[in-house]
Amino acid sequence: MTKDIINQLGENREDYFNAAIPPIFSNSNFLFSKVDDMRSAMIGKNNIPFYTRGNNPTTKILEQKIAALEKTENAIALSSGMAAISTAILSQVKSGEHMISVNQPYTGTDKFLKEIIPNYGIEVSFVSGEDPLNFSKKIKKNTKIIYLESPNSWTYDMQDLEEISNIAKKNNLITIIDNSYASPINCNPSNWGIDIIIHSATKYIGGHANAMGGIICGSNEIINEIYNSEFKLFGGVLSPFNSWLFINGLRTLKIRMNYISESTPKIVSSLEKNKKIKNIIYPHSKNFNQKKLVKKYLKRPCGQFSIVLNTNDDKKIEGFCNNLNHFKMAASWGGHDSLIFPEIARYNLNSKYYSKTELLPKNYIRFYIGLEDTDLLTKDILDSLDKI
């Protein structure tokens, strides 16, 4: 009988006194009394832990669960989503080589590809991901990676994973995708041949806004190569405590995603005819222009959408945001709290970090729907719109 992934897989409870929840192995070292035992642990034989920077029992349980949920052979957990993104990319491309990325990925990814990667002699081409042929046109003799984010941040543009995967395989390229928006519950890119799947575990996987982490999923061959090189040497190891928090977060992942998949479309639907809103961008809205890709790749609706207010007046835009009572402003998402990120907050910002990132129009506002009452959230948005 197949084990329940979330509640059973990787949990050999007899090894830790039949505790209902795996313990936190917070130690850095693991001790040995014989040279041969230490030697076995150093090469990872039988998953014997040697040093927490490489292999920790609590983290191993998390990795097994995420790999199974993503339908991949293996996974590595890291200290943040950006640690996962940067480690995965640098494991597959080196100086003098070239990679292709979808336009306007997550801000951190965008900055990494535009400001850090070129310092190492790696060339990056950015393309609109809506047409798979855009990737074909940019392939060079030294191209190694196609990087995807589907749906991508803020505008939720989708890419045809199967078509792009076929293009990559014909040209011996590695495909990488940030699958944080959908979670492993609502999309499994490996089904369509994507090689490396990344998650910011900080988001849906954790679900409680209490820990940061990242995940890289892939084949045994790819993950083992990353594990023995970039993962160990960059040192972006996930703390055992955060691994434990993520394991506990996984317990409610399906329940949370089911609730969000019902509440978010209801809220979006209630806003679609409001004259104070110029446009709503949401993969499961009536007017989304990539319906075929949504149906093919997203099992159920997710919790993020953007609205474009029907005004360019700074005071009105900021007033709308400030008047919301049940949405707080924050950078992240995926937890129990409903949040907004107003793009106008990045305008007139004296910050080197954001100075070279591409801004959307100031009337864009990203919403994340959490676990509060649906009617309460809907009323909050409508009341704030009325005050514009």
Side-chain angles (χ1 to χ4, degrees), residues 88-371:
I89 290 173
L90 289 174
S91 72
Q92 303 299 318
V93 64
K94 60 181 184 294
S95 180
E97 294 179 338
H98 171 254
M99 64 174 285
I100 306 168
S101 171
V102 65
N103 275 336
Q104 290 187 310
Y106 163 65
T107 302
T109 307
D110 190 57
K111 285 183 66 65
F112 178 72
L113 295 178
K114 289 178 179 177
E115 298 181 26
I116 304 299
I117 281 282
N119 294 336
Y120 294 89
I122 299 167
E123 183 186 2
V124 185
S125 296
F126 292 89
V127 302
S128 169
E130 294 186 32
D131 185 350
L133 291 178
N134 290 340
F135 294 92
S136 294
K137 293 174 183 177
K138 291 291 183 178
I139 295 174
K140 303 179 180 182
K141 290 182 179 180
N142 62 340
T143 305
K144 297 296 178 182
I145 297 173
I146 292 177
Y147 185 89
L148 308 171
E149 189 179 294
S150 182
N152 78 322
S153 298
W154 287 80
T155 57
Y156 314 111
D157 299 324
M158 296 189 66
Q159 298 105 57
D160 193 326
L161 307 186
E162 185 174 27
E163 288 296 319
I164 295 169
S165 173
N166 289 337
I167 291 169
K169 284 177 171 30
K170 288 178 183 178
N171 291 276
N172 296 314
L173 308 181
I174 292 290
T175 46
I176 304 176
I177 187 170
D178 184 337
N179 194 35
S180 300
Y181 177 91
S183 88
I185 296 297
N186 284 323
C187 182
N188 298 125
S190 62
N191 288 341
W192 294 281
I194 300 299
D195 298 300
I196 297 175
I197 299 103
I198 294 168
H199 285 276
S200 171
T202 313
K203 311 298 193 294
Y204 282 133
I205 289 171
H208 294 84
N210 58 2
M212 296 191 74
I215 303 285
I216 302 173
C217 304
S219 66
N220 281 326
E221 181 181 0
I222 287 174
I223 296 300
N224 288 338
E225 286 181 359
I226 297 173
Y227 172 81
N228 287 308
S229 183
E230 288 79 14
F231 171 68
K232 283 186 175 181
L233 299 178
F234 289 168
V237 61
L238 182 65
S239 76
F241 180 68
N242 282 10
S243 297
W244 181 79
L245 289 172
F246 289 138
I247 291 169
N248 290 328
L250 281 177
R251 306 294 198 203
T252 61
L253 178 60
K254 287 184 179 179
I255 297 169
R256 289 185 282 108
M257 296 307 294
N258 286 342
Y259 183 85
I260 288 167
S261 73
E262 293 180 4
S263 61
T264 310
K266 289 180 182 178
I267 293 170
V268 169
S269 179
S270 71
L271 302 176
E272 285 182 323
K273 294 182 180 180
N274 194 293
K275 294 181 179 180
K276 301 288 181 71
I277 297 176
K278 185 176 181 181
N279 190 22
I280 297 179
I281 311 169
Y282 182 55
H284 285 85
S285 67
K286 292 179 181 179
N287 298 322
F288 194 71
N289 63 357
Q290 294 180 296
K291 284 290 187 182
K292 289 184 178 179
L293 295 186
V294 173
K295 185 176 181 180
K296 182 175 182 179
Y297 294 116
L298 295 179
K299 298 174 187 177
R300 298 192 71 179
C302 299
Q304 277 187 290
F305 64 91
S306 295
I307 68 170
V308 184
L309 289 177
N310 199 14
T311 179
N312 290 312
D313 185 283
D314 289 14
K315 288 185 178 180
K316 290 182 178 181
I317 296 168
E318 292 188 19
F320 167 77
C321 299
N322 295 339
N323 285 326
L324 291 167
N325 293 312
H326 299 289
F327 290 84
K328 300 304 179 185
M329 300 180 209
S332 191
W333 49 270
H336 50 280
D337 290 319
S338 292
L339 305 170
I340 64 166
F341 191 125
E343 180 71 345
I344 198 170
R346 296 208 296 157
Y347 278 71
N348 303 317
L349 186 65
N350 186 19
S351 168
K352 187 176 180 181
Y353 182 82
Y354 289 106
S355 62
K356 295 181 181 179
T357 57
E358 188 174 347
L359 294 175
L360 290 166
K362 66 177 76 173
N363 54 349
Y364 274 64
I365 301 166
R366 186 182 72 187
F367 278 76
Y368 165 70
I369 303 302
L371 302 181

Side-chain angles (χ1 to χ4, degrees), residues 3 11-19:
K3 285 187 176 182
E11 300 187 39
N12 301 315
R13 294 190 173 104
E14 62 275 12
D15 292 344
Y16 40 84
F17 308 104
N18 287 312

